[in-house]
Amino acid sequence: MTTPLLSVEGFSLLAGDAVLLDRLTFAVGAGEVLAVTGAAGSGKSLLLKALAGLAPPDLTCDGTVRTVGRRILVTADGTLFPHRTLGAQFVELLHHHLGLDEHMALRRAVEALEWFRMPAAARRLSLYPHELSEAQRWRAVLALAVAAQPAVLLADAPAAALDPTQRAWMLDRLAGWARENGAALLIAGRAEEGVAGPADRRLLLEADRLRPAPPPPGLAADGDVNREPPPAGAPALSVRDLRVAFRLGRTWTGEDRWLTVVDGVGFDLAEGDTLALVGESGSGKSVLARALLRLVPPSGGQVAWLGRDLAGAPPDALRRARRDLQMLFPDPAAALDPGMTVGAQMAELLETLRPDIPAADRGPRIADALREVGLHEAVAALHPAALDAAEAAHAGLARALLPEPRLLVCDEPAATLAGADRAAFLARLMEVRRRRRLALVYATQDASDALRVGRRALVLLLGRIVEAADSAALVEGARHPLTRAMLAVAQGAKGGGSGGEFGSGLPGDPPSALAPPSGCALRLRCPLARDHCAQEPPALEGAATSHRIACHYWETNSQGAS
Amino acid sequence: MDRTRGTAATPKSLWPESPWRAAGRRLVERPSASVGLVVLITLLFCVPTAPLLGNGPLERALAAGQGSLSFALLGGLLGAAAGLAWGIAATALGPRAERSLMGLAERLAGLPLALALPLAAGLAGRGPGVLAPAAALTAAPFIALVTRAELRALLRREFLAAAQAAGVPPGRILRRHLIPNAALPLAAAAWTALPRALAAESFAGLLGLGLPGSVPSWGAALAAAVRAGDPAALAAPALLLALSLWALHAVGDGLRAAAASGETPRTAGGGRP
């Protein structure tokens, strides 16, 4: 490596007397990818802005930052000008930086968009930013940065809001571009955003200082995967051919149009067993979780708890079932009524679900539940607005535990938490689950979370199960391309090395339920797709009795991969 | 992790205000809203007692406010009730009713509804029985649109699903969760009927098609001053009308600010300054 394109020596950032960044020293050479991770508020965005020369004017910079060539910063929100077409923005930027005329600029723009696999790139240039989907917008933002051929590209949490499989693919393309063109790429973001995936080196920004990021534990480490033996006994929850569809209205021919969100899902769950529902956004895992509790009316199939079907249950029977089945919501703060104190809402739940408990005993029970999840009992007197995200999550757990349930349905229960809070909450959830022998249904888009929590996992795509297996079996040999991609991304995000051909996620966007592709729903993104995949949707068939896959070529594909 | 909030937290965050008190604080903390409230209360006190205060131009103009303000209250209440009922019906009666009711409201909201009052007065006479529904019509479609939007947003909130998961029967969800959370946003929406009714009646009065001559009103006082060519007589009612319209709007803005939930926005991309 010759002279580095970006070299930072003793760089400090001060706001008055407060030290925001303390004597950072690092360098990024040509074709090198550096990831800077850190918790929320650790100063990653500030560092990137300062490196781009855009530090807020009231801060004092100290030390030296040397760059060779052009710097470009991609901000965390990835905004484009709202009132100008993509093409106009490319032309303006490329004219400014490279002095290209319009024709050349548009040609460069199409090349850059195609590098990020924007479908029909040339036609997208006449669109406005709001006409693009979130994933396409990020492709455009990254393409815009890449097209200007910067020597130093600073990317702040790029595509953080996208699905892990999409994000990993985009970051991989971005890193590939930097390596091919000899640019220095600096990606900042939280560790769980997978920015470390394609990086050559990783640094951790912590307590204002930079230090090498510790080597993350691999996914396949034994303690990380749920390898409990299957519990004995008859299934307590049994789901058969469950369907959820929403009517969208009529077509002009008078037919009803339906949006099918969950399509023929079935599974059994014994008491004390854990099941993970894994899928990207739009896979129907969240609706499925709600349909189990009849919070969303199912349009077909049956959900039976202890042999009793809940789909047609009268209100009384349903209330008795709700005592056993409780839910954790993805945004725990929003799941609490802002107008009532936490305690009043918990008392309301006791009043409806446990009429056998006298009113005088409700207070002590609520205090017990709050203490069990590690909250102070005084929280009962608070209104939800006074709780932070982690406290709200714990309060939600306490409320769910109140009626002494036997099954907890969790829909991304830690989605609003990050870093240590998230780990602490999940640890608390697992501890409570072990102590109370709760059965758990855990919907998540993070494959490594799923394998850690669930003894069994169902991988969902567009409302259908594409792979169902024990977590241990999935770690050793996932067969469906989607599962393999999600696992590889979860592993790569931690920097545990690339996961083979799927290590960089999947190109393209998750399929839309409004216009599903013919045949296999994954075929447009699947690197192993063949002609037959477009013709008919694959059926769920077994590699073993407990391991079933919906892929036409699971046998041949997995042989080729291993 | 042990979150012992009770010992670690400061008293302010340990016993925070209730949501209603917080909403009241947000209302009063807006300077324009609190000044508007003071102005409104002063007007409500001075207008009925104006004849006792004297017989200058200002007192006469204050006395003329009796008709205007009581009509604004009557028409405004009627319009608010109609608009709320309209929006609630659209939300409760299913998609087909919603489409037709809201389609009607949108089309009406696009019309110059301030003309409804002089039109009704010209066609059917100037009694309050004609004018009050006409004034209600000028406000109702807007309130219906806002009501429907607020209710739709409210019905999607997660705590309703949580209450359902807690087995709370629908009637009680409505009573305990839906109505308390809808009250403030809907009150803020309904409040807009008051300034609309006042403005519409004053406009009609200026044209000579407002309340009957026996009832004093600012619009009629303005029209009389214009006819007499008397700028001094014009100033006082014009000023009072403008002041009360501003005060009504300011309080309405304050109510909207109070209804907006006091959640602090979450930082999405890390700690940006």
PDB file of all heavy atoms in Angstrom, chain A residues 497-531:
ATOM      1  N   GLY A 497     -16.516 -13.773   8.723  1.00  0.00           N
ATOM      2  CA  GLY A 497     -16.086 -14.313   7.445  1.00  0.00           C
ATOM      3  C   GLY A 497     -17.248 -14.433   6.499  1.00  0.00           C
ATOM      4  O   GLY A 497     -18.411 -14.341   6.886  1.00  0.00           O
ATOM      5  N   SER A 498     -16.967 -14.630   5.251  1.00  0.00           N
ATOM      6  CA  SER A 498     -18.036 -14.699   4.266  1.00  0.00           C
ATOM      7  C   SER A 498     -18.699 -16.065   4.337  1.00  0.00           C
ATOM      8  O   SER A 498     -18.108 -17.052   4.732  1.00  0.00           O
ATOM      9  CB  SER A 498     -17.481 -14.472   2.869  1.00  0.00           C
ATOM     10  OG  SER A 498     -16.906 -15.668   2.400  1.00  0.00           O
ATOM     11  N   GLY A 499     -19.942 -16.083   3.977  1.00  0.00           N
ATOM     12  CA  GLY A 499     -20.700 -17.326   4.070  1.00  0.00           C
ATOM     13  C   GLY A 499     -20.873 -17.973   2.728  1.00  0.00           C
ATOM     14  O   GLY A 499     -21.977 -18.341   2.360  1.00  0.00           O
ATOM     15  N   GLY A 500     -19.813 -18.088   1.947  1.00  0.00           N
ATOM     16  CA  GLY A 500     -19.909 -18.755   0.664  1.00  0.00           C
ATOM     17  C   GLY A 500     -20.664 -17.908  -0.340  1.00  0.00           C
ATOM     18  O   GLY A 500     -20.639 -16.679  -0.286  1.00  0.00           O
ATOM     19  N   GLU A 501     -21.357 -18.579  -1.260  1.00  0.00           N
ATOM     20  CA  GLU A 501     -21.976 -17.842  -2.364  1.00  0.00           C
ATOM     21  C   GLU A 501     -23.102 -16.927  -1.895  1.00  0.00           C
ATOM     22  O   GLU A 501     -23.517 -16.031  -2.607  1.00  0.00           O
ATOM     23  CB  GLU A 501     -22.500 -18.828  -3.404  1.00  0.00           C
ATOM     24  CG  GLU A 501     -23.545 -19.753  -2.839  1.00  0.00           C
ATOM     25  CD  GLU A 501     -23.784 -20.956  -3.728  1.00  0.00           C
ATOM     26  OE1 GLU A 501     -23.994 -20.754  -4.910  1.00  0.00           O
ATOM     27  OE2 GLU A 501     -23.746 -22.093  -3.225  1.00  0.00           O
ATOM     28  N   PHE A 502     -23.654 -17.165  -0.695  1.00  0.00           N
ATOM     29  CA  PHE A 502     -24.742 -16.330  -0.211  1.00  0.00           C
ATOM     30  C   PHE A 502     -24.272 -15.281   0.782  1.00  0.00           C
ATOM     31  O   PHE A 502     -25.069 -14.582   1.373  1.00  0.00           O
ATOM     32  CB  PHE A 502     -25.819 -17.185   0.460  1.00  0.00           C
ATOM     33  CG  PHE A 502     -26.539 -18.062  -0.513  1.00  0.00           C
ATOM     34  CD1 PHE A 502     -26.284 -19.415  -0.574  1.00  0.00           C
ATOM     35  CD2 PHE A 502     -27.469 -17.521  -1.377  1.00  0.00           C
ATOM     36  CE1 PHE A 502     -26.949 -20.210  -1.478  1.00  0.00           C
ATOM     37  CE2 PHE A 502     -28.147 -18.314  -2.274  1.00  0.00           C
ATOM     38  CZ  PHE A 502     -27.880 -19.666  -2.329  1.00  0.00           C
ATOM     39  N   GLY A 503     -22.946 -15.198   0.993  1.00  0.00           N
ATOM     40  CA  GLY A 503     -22.426 -14.317   2.027  1.00  0.00           C
ATOM     41  C   GLY A 503     -22.799 -12.863   1.828  1.00  0.00           C
ATOM     42  O   GLY A 503     -22.837 -12.090   2.762  1.00  0.00           O
ATOM     43  N   SER A 504     -23.059 -12.484   0.572  1.00  0.00           N
ATOM     44  CA  SER A 504     -23.345 -11.081   0.335  1.00  0.00           C
ATOM     45  C   SER A 504     -24.832 -10.846   0.118  1.00  0.00           C
ATOM     46  O   SER A 504     -25.221  -9.951  -0.607  1.00  0.00           O
ATOM     47  CB  SER A 504     -22.568 -10.607  -0.876  1.00  0.00           C
ATOM     48  OG  SER A 504     -22.813 -11.474  -1.956  1.00  0.00           O
ATOM     49  N   GLY A 505     -25.675 -11.639   0.740  1.00  0.00           N
ATOM     50  CA  GLY A 505     -27.105 -11.384   0.658  1.00  0.00           C
ATOM     51  C   GLY A 505     -27.675 -11.754  -0.690  1.00  0.00           C
ATOM     52  O   GLY A 505     -27.097 -12.535  -1.445  1.00  0.00           O
ATOM     53  N   LEU A 506     -28.831 -11.193  -0.982  1.00  0.00           N
ATOM     54  CA  LEU A 506     -29.506 -11.483  -2.234  1.00  0.00           C
ATOM     55  C   LEU A 506     -29.732 -10.177  -2.969  1.00  0.00           C
ATOM     56  O   LEU A 506     -30.066  -9.169  -2.365  1.00  0.00           O
ATOM     57  CB  LEU A 506     -30.858 -12.149  -1.969  1.00  0.00           C
ATOM     58  CG  LEU A 506     -30.831 -13.537  -1.342  1.00  0.00           C
ATOM     59  CD1 LEU A 506     -32.219 -13.935  -0.915  1.00  0.00           C
ATOM     60  CD2 LEU A 506     -30.261 -14.527  -2.313  1.00  0.00           C
ATOM     61  N   PRO A 507     -29.553 -10.165  -4.287  1.00  0.00           N
ATOM     62  CA  PRO A 507     -29.852  -8.944  -5.032  1.00  0.00           C
ATOM     63  C   PRO A 507     -31.363  -8.740  -5.104  1.00  0.00           C
ATOM     64  O   PRO A 507     -32.141  -9.654  -4.859  1.00  0.00           O
ATOM     65  CB  PRO A 507     -29.259  -9.235  -6.404  1.00  0.00           C
ATOM     66  CG  PRO A 507     -29.314 -10.715  -6.528  1.00  0.00           C
ATOM     67  CD  PRO A 507     -29.125 -11.258  -5.150  1.00  0.00           C
ATOM     68  N   GLY A 508     -31.752  -7.525  -5.428  1.00  0.00           N
ATOM     69  CA  GLY A 508     -33.174  -7.263  -5.635  1.00  0.00           C
ATOM     70  C   GLY A 508     -33.919  -7.104  -4.331  1.00  0.00           C
ATOM     71  O   GLY A 508     -33.358  -7.184  -3.256  1.00  0.00           O
ATOM     72  N   ASP A 509     -35.225  -6.887  -4.454  1.00  0.00           N
ATOM     73  CA  ASP A 509     -36.052  -6.601  -3.298  1.00  0.00           C
ATOM     74  C   ASP A 509     -36.918  -7.803  -2.975  1.00  0.00           C
ATOM     75  O   ASP A 509     -37.208  -8.614  -3.838  1.00  0.00           O
ATOM     76  CB  ASP A 509     -36.965  -5.398  -3.607  1.00  0.00           C
ATOM     77  CG  ASP A 509     -36.151  -4.216  -4.073  1.00  0.00           C
ATOM     78  OD1 ASP A 509     -34.959  -4.165  -3.722  1.00  0.00           O
ATOM     79  OD2 ASP A 509     -36.698  -3.382  -4.804  1.00  0.00           O
ATOM     80  N   PRO A 510     -37.374  -7.921  -1.713  1.00  0.00           N
ATOM     81  CA  PRO A 510     -38.316  -8.982  -1.380  1.00  0.00           C
ATOM     82  C   PRO A 510     -39.547  -8.877  -2.273  1.00  0.00           C
ATOM     83  O   PRO A 510     -39.966  -7.771  -2.610  1.00  0.00           O
ATOM     84  CB  PRO A 510     -38.676  -8.712   0.079  1.00  0.00           C
ATOM     85  CG  PRO A 510     -37.558  -7.922   0.608  1.00  0.00           C
ATOM     86  CD  PRO A 510     -37.027  -7.120  -0.537  1.00  0.00           C
ATOM     87  N   PRO A 511     -40.116 -10.007  -2.673  1.00  0.00           N
ATOM     88  CA  PRO A 511     -41.261  -9.941  -3.587  1.00  0.00           C
ATOM     89  C   PRO A 511     -42.452  -9.270  -2.916  1.00  0.00           C
ATOM     90  O   PRO A 511     -42.613  -9.309  -1.702  1.00  0.00           O
ATOM     91  CB  PRO A 511     -41.543 -11.405  -3.889  1.00  0.00           C
ATOM     92  CG  PRO A 511     -40.965 -12.154  -2.748  1.00  0.00           C
ATOM     93  CD  PRO A 511     -39.777 -11.376  -2.305  1.00  0.00           C
ATOM     94  N   SER A 512     -43.276  -8.632  -3.727  1.00  0.00           N
ATOM     95  CA  SER A 512     -44.453  -7.959  -3.202  1.00  0.00           C
ATOM     96  C   SER A 512     -45.657  -8.886  -3.283  1.00  0.00           C
ATOM     97  O   SER A 512     -45.857  -9.575  -4.279  1.00  0.00           O
ATOM     98  CB  SER A 512     -44.719  -6.697  -4.016  1.00  0.00           C
ATOM     99  OG  SER A 512     -46.082  -6.366  -3.948  1.00  0.00           O
ATOM    100  N   ALA A 513     -46.461  -8.886  -2.224  1.00  0.00           N
ATOM    101  CA  ALA A 513     -47.635  -9.737  -2.218  1.00  0.00           C
ATOM    102  C   ALA A 513     -48.673  -9.241  -3.222  1.00  0.00           C
ATOM    103  O   ALA A 513     -49.578  -9.974  -3.604  1.00  0.00           O
ATOM    104  CB  ALA A 513     -48.249  -9.778  -0.822  1.00  0.00           C
ATOM    105  N   LEU A 514     -48.555  -7.989  -3.644  1.00  0.00           N
ATOM    106  CA  LEU A 514     -49.518  -7.454  -4.614  1.00  0.00           C
ATOM    107  C   LEU A 514     -49.267  -8.005  -6.007  1.00  0.00           C
ATOM    108  O   LEU A 514     -50.181  -8.171  -6.778  1.00  0.00           O
ATOM    109  CB  LEU A 514     -49.417  -5.925  -4.643  1.00  0.00           C
ATOM    110  CG  LEU A 514     -50.026  -5.219  -3.449  1.00  0.00           C
ATOM    111  CD1 LEU A 514     -49.645  -3.757  -3.455  1.00  0.00           C
ATOM    112  CD2 LEU A 514     -51.535  -5.364  -3.473  1.00  0.00           C
ATOM    113  N   ALA A 515     -48.003  -8.245  -6.329  1.00  0.00           N
ATOM    114  CA  ALA A 515     -47.668  -8.777  -7.650  1.00  0.00           C
ATOM    115  C   ALA A 515     -46.618  -9.862  -7.475  1.00  0.00           C
ATOM    116  O   ALA A 515     -45.454  -9.650  -7.774  1.00  0.00           O
ATOM    117  CB  ALA A 515     -47.155  -7.664  -8.551  1.00  0.00           C
ATOM    118  N   PRO A 516     -47.017 -11.014  -6.940  1.00  0.00           N
ATOM    119  CA  PRO A 516     -46.021 -12.058  -6.703  1.00  0.00           C
ATOM    120  C   PRO A 516     -45.529 -12.621  -8.025  1.00  0.00           C
ATOM    121  O   PRO A 516     -46.288 -12.694  -8.993  1.00  0.00           O
ATOM    122  CB  PRO A 516     -46.795 -13.098  -5.903  1.00  0.00           C
ATOM    123  CG  PRO A 516     -48.221 -12.857  -6.205  1.00  0.00           C
ATOM    124  CD  PRO A 516     -48.366 -11.419  -6.557  1.00  0.00           C
ATOM    125  N   PRO A 517     -44.240 -12.988  -8.093  1.00  0.00           N
ATOM    126  CA  PRO A 517     -43.726 -13.594  -9.320  1.00  0.00           C
ATOM    127  C   PRO A 517     -44.340 -14.976  -9.520  1.00  0.00           C
ATOM    128  O   PRO A 517     -44.799 -15.606  -8.567  1.00  0.00           O
ATOM    129  CB  PRO A 517     -42.222 -13.678  -9.072  1.00  0.00           C
ATOM    130  CG  PRO A 517     -42.051 -13.570  -7.611  1.00  0.00           C
ATOM    131  CD  PRO A 517     -43.236 -12.870  -7.056  1.00  0.00           C
ATOM    132  N   SER A 518     -44.389 -15.414 -10.766  1.00  0.00           N
ATOM    133  CA  SER A 518     -44.925 -16.746 -11.034  1.00  0.00           C
ATOM    134  C   SER A 518     -43.959 -17.785 -10.479  1.00  0.00           C
ATOM    135  O   SER A 518     -42.771 -17.526 -10.309  1.00  0.00           O
ATOM    136  CB  SER A 518     -45.084 -16.940 -12.535  1.00  0.00           C
ATOM    137  OG  SER A 518     -43.802 -16.986 -13.123  1.00  0.00           O
ATOM    138  N   GLY A 519     -44.473 -18.954 -10.194  1.00  0.00           N
ATOM    139  CA  GLY A 519     -43.612 -20.024  -9.708  1.00  0.00           C
ATOM    140  C   GLY A 519     -43.086 -19.724  -8.329  1.00  0.00           C
ATOM    141  O   GLY A 519     -43.796 -19.243  -7.459  1.00  0.00           O
ATOM    142  N   CYS A 520     -41.791 -20.002  -8.148  1.00  0.00           N
ATOM    143  CA  CYS A 520     -41.164 -19.796  -6.845  1.00  0.00           C
ATOM    144  C   CYS A 520     -41.010 -18.299  -6.588  1.00  0.00           C
ATOM    145  O   CYS A 520     -40.557 -17.546  -7.452  1.00  0.00           O
ATOM    146  CB  CYS A 520     -39.802 -20.466  -6.821  1.00  0.00           C
ATOM    147  SG  CYS A 520     -38.871 -20.117  -5.331  1.00  0.00           S
ATOM    148  N   ALA A 521     -41.411 -17.849  -5.381  1.00  0.00           N
ATOM    149  CA  ALA A 521     -41.409 -16.414  -5.086  1.00  0.00           C
ATOM    150  C   ALA A 521     -39.997 -15.851  -5.019  1.00  0.00           C
ATOM    151  O   ALA A 521     -39.804 -14.649  -5.106  1.00  0.00           O
ATOM    152  CB  ALA A 521     -42.144 -16.154  -3.772  1.00  0.00           C
ATOM    153  N   LEU A 522     -39.013 -16.712  -4.861  1.00  0.00           N
ATOM    154  CA  LEU A 522     -37.647 -16.219  -4.702  1.00  0.00           C
ATOM    155  C   LEU A 522     -36.901 -16.168  -6.026  1.00  0.00           C
ATOM    156  O   LEU A 522     -35.798 -15.651  -6.101  1.00  0.00           O
ATOM    157  CB  LEU A 522     -36.888 -17.119  -3.717  1.00  0.00           C
ATOM    158  CG  LEU A 522     -35.554 -16.588  -3.212  1.00  0.00           C
ATOM    159  CD1 LEU A 522     -35.775 -15.408  -2.287  1.00  0.00           C
ATOM    160  CD2 LEU A 522     -34.759 -17.650  -2.502  1.00  0.00           C
ATOM    161  N   ARG A 523     -37.516 -16.668  -7.111  1.00  0.00           N
ATOM    162  CA  ARG A 523     -36.700 -16.995  -8.287  1.00  0.00           C
ATOM    163  C   ARG A 523     -36.005 -15.781  -8.884  1.00  0.00           C
ATOM    164  O   ARG A 523     -34.929 -15.890  -9.449  1.00  0.00           O
ATOM    165  CB  ARG A 523     -37.559 -17.684  -9.333  1.00  0.00           C
ATOM    166  CG  ARG A 523     -38.498 -16.773 -10.050  1.00  0.00           C
ATOM    167  CD  ARG A 523     -39.281 -17.495 -11.101  1.00  0.00           C
ATOM    168  NE  ARG A 523     -40.411 -16.706 -11.498  1.00  0.00           N
ATOM    169  CZ  ARG A 523     -40.348 -15.790 -12.459  1.00  0.00           C
ATOM    170  NH1 ARG A 523     -39.242 -15.585 -13.109  1.00  0.00           N
ATOM    171  NH2 ARG A 523     -41.417 -15.088 -12.765  1.00  0.00           N
ATOM    172  N   LEU A 524     -36.605 -14.555  -8.741  1.00  0.00           N
ATOM    173  CA  LEU A 524     -35.984 -13.379  -9.343  1.00  0.00           C
ATOM    174  C   LEU A 524     -34.719 -12.965  -8.606  1.00  0.00           C
ATOM    175  O   LEU A 524     -33.905 -12.223  -9.127  1.00  0.00           O
ATOM    176  CB  LEU A 524     -36.973 -12.218  -9.368  1.00  0.00           C
ATOM    177  CG  LEU A 524     -38.218 -12.467 -10.206  1.00  0.00           C
ATOM    178  CD1 LEU A 524     -39.190 -11.324 -10.078  1.00  0.00           C
ATOM    179  CD2 LEU A 524     -37.827 -12.681 -11.663  1.00  0.00           C
ATOM    180  N   ARG A 525     -34.565 -13.425  -7.391  1.00  0.00           N
ATOM    181  CA  ARG A 525     -33.385 -13.036  -6.618  1.00  0.00           C
ATOM    182  C   ARG A 525     -32.447 -14.192  -6.398  1.00  0.00           C
ATOM    183  O   ARG A 525     -31.373 -14.020  -5.849  1.00  0.00           O
ATOM    184  CB  ARG A 525     -33.828 -12.511  -5.243  1.00  0.00           C
ATOM    185  CG  ARG A 525     -34.832 -11.401  -5.310  1.00  0.00           C
ATOM    186  CD  ARG A 525     -35.383 -11.103  -3.946  1.00  0.00           C
ATOM    187  NE  ARG A 525     -34.386 -10.496  -3.089  1.00  0.00           N
ATOM    188  CZ  ARG A 525     -34.454 -10.470  -1.767  1.00  0.00           C
ATOM    189  NH1 ARG A 525     -35.470 -11.038  -1.157  1.00  0.00           N
ATOM    190  NH2 ARG A 525     -33.528  -9.897  -1.059  1.00  0.00           N
ATOM    191  N   CYS A 526     -32.881 -15.381  -6.753  1.00  0.00           N
ATOM    192  CA  CYS A 526     -32.135 -16.578  -6.379  1.00  0.00           C
ATOM    193  C   CYS A 526     -30.986 -16.803  -7.351  1.00  0.00           C
ATOM    194  O   CYS A 526     -31.197 -16.850  -8.568  1.00  0.00           O
ATOM    195  CB  CYS A 526     -33.071 -17.778  -6.392  1.00  0.00           C
ATOM    196  SG  CYS A 526     -32.269 -19.295  -5.920  1.00  0.00           S
ATOM    197  N   PRO A 527     -29.767 -16.915  -6.860  1.00  0.00           N
ATOM    198  CA  PRO A 527     -28.643 -17.145  -7.773  1.00  0.00           C
ATOM    199  C   PRO A 527     -28.681 -18.546  -8.398  1.00  0.00           C
ATOM    200  O   PRO A 527     -27.977 -18.807  -9.365  1.00  0.00           O
ATOM    201  CB  PRO A 527     -27.413 -16.963  -6.882  1.00  0.00           C
ATOM    202  CG  PRO A 527     -27.892 -17.179  -5.490  1.00  0.00           C
ATOM    203  CD  PRO A 527     -29.333 -16.790  -5.463  1.00  0.00           C
ATOM    204  N   LEU A 528     -29.492 -19.442  -7.833  1.00  0.00           N
ATOM    205  CA  LEU A 528     -29.518 -20.807  -8.325  1.00  0.00           C
ATOM    206  C   LEU A 528     -30.773 -21.097  -9.137  1.00  0.00           C
ATOM    207  O   LEU A 528     -31.071 -22.244  -9.449  1.00  0.00           O
ATOM    208  CB  LEU A 528     -29.460 -21.785  -7.146  1.00  0.00           C
ATOM    209  CG  LEU A 528     -28.329 -21.526  -6.140  1.00  0.00           C
ATOM    210  CD1 LEU A 528     -28.481 -22.420  -4.933  1.00  0.00           C
ATOM    211  CD2 LEU A 528     -26.981 -21.766  -6.795  1.00  0.00           C
ATOM    212  N   ALA A 529     -31.552 -20.049  -9.475  1.00  0.00           N
ATOM    213  CA  ALA A 529     -32.828 -20.280 -10.149  1.00  0.00           C
ATOM    214  C   ALA A 529     -32.608 -20.858 -11.543  1.00  0.00           C
ATOM    215  O   ALA A 529     -31.636 -20.533 -12.226  1.00  0.00           O
ATOM    216  CB  ALA A 529     -33.596 -18.971 -10.246  1.00  0.00           C
ATOM    217  N   ARG A 530     -33.512 -21.737 -11.949  1.00  0.00           N
ATOM    218  CA  ARG A 530     -33.476 -22.286 -13.308  1.00  0.00           C
ATOM    219  C   ARG A 530     -34.825 -22.049 -13.956  1.00  0.00           C
ATOM    220  O   ARG A 530     -35.727 -21.517 -13.321  1.00  0.00           O
ATOM    221  CB  ARG A 530     -33.192 -23.780 -13.261  1.00  0.00           C
ATOM    222  CG  ARG A 530     -31.923 -24.082 -12.493  1.00  0.00           C
ATOM    223  CD  ARG A 530     -31.694 -25.549 -12.401  1.00  0.00           C
ATOM    224  NE  ARG A 530     -30.729 -25.824 -11.342  1.00  0.00           N
ATOM    225  CZ  ARG A 530     -30.340 -27.032 -11.036  1.00  0.00           C
ATOM    226  NH1 ARG A 530     -30.842 -28.067 -11.676  1.00  0.00           N
ATOM    227  NH2 ARG A 530     -29.474 -27.220 -10.068  1.00  0.00           N
ATOM    228  N   ASP A 531     -34.965 -22.490 -15.196  1.00  0.00           N
ATOM    229  CA  ASP A 531     -36.205 -22.212 -15.935  1.00  0.00           C
ATOM    230  C   ASP A 531     -37.426 -22.767 -15.234  1.00  0.00           C
ATOM    231  O   ASP A 531     -38.475 -22.128 -15.171  1.00  0.00           O
ATOM    232  CB  ASP A 531     -36.115 -22.833 -17.332  1.00  0.00           C
ATOM    233  CG  ASP A 531     -35.107 -22.089 -18.167  1.00  0.00           C
ATOM    234  OD1 ASP A 531     -34.724 -20.981 -17.736  1.00  0.00           O
ATOM    235  OD2 ASP A 531     -34.699 -22.603 -19.211  1.00  0.00           O
TER     236      ASP A 531
END
